[in-house]
Amino acid sequence: MTDIIASDKVVSLAYTLTVDGEVISEFDVNDPLEYLHGAENIIPGLERVLEGKRVGDRFSVTVPPEDAYGDYEEDDIDEIPRSEIPAIETLEEGSMVEVEDEDGYSFYATVTRITADTVVLDFNPPLAGKTLTYDVEVLGIRPATEEELEHGHVHGDDYDEDYDDYEDDEDYDDEE
Ligand code: ZN
């Protein structure tokens, strides 16, 4: 096979992600990451380097924030009343929560402080402002199915149709 990574291919990877000298996530041969190339399923700095790679290729890449999760924005922090957060009693500092704005859009945030009346939420992605180092091995490349191309994501072994319907509804909402 002389398959190379290009748009509309489904790629499986083993990788280790290291941030500030600490391993943040790991996908190995037994539990690879699958993604649809060219569909912005992964950060731009990694997707760009994978273009043209072949099965068996191994490489390391260091990705600055602007090609990963963006700069850390001091303004993306909000203090809101405890009453607006469901299940507040189960939260602690460092928990992730999903909150909806008045238009019904949902956002993920990290709880950074809990006071008597309020919760301080940080809407920056957890890896915003970080430089990421990936050690990658390309494990597999296959053409995407029609359905995967239509949806813009992989339907792998863990494919959950119910969740997918939900997710695709969300995508629809985003386009409105
Ligand atoms: Zn889908």
Side-chain angles (χ1 to χ4, degrees), residues 147-148 151 153-155 159 164 167-168:
E147 194 182 41
E148 286 173 328
H151 286 195
H153 57 228
V154 171
H155 293 170
Y159 176 49
D164 198 36
E167 198 183 43
D168 290 329

Side-chain angles (χ1 to χ4, degrees), residues 140-165:
I141 304 170
R142 66 163 170 87
T145 65
E146 290 282 319
E147 194 182 41
E148 286 173 328
L149 290 176
E150 207 174 289
H151 286 195
H153 57 228
V154 171
H155 293 170
D157 294 342
D158 301 331
Y159 176 49
D160 176 345
E161 203 173 328
D162 292 337
Y163 178 75
D164 198 36
D165 287 343

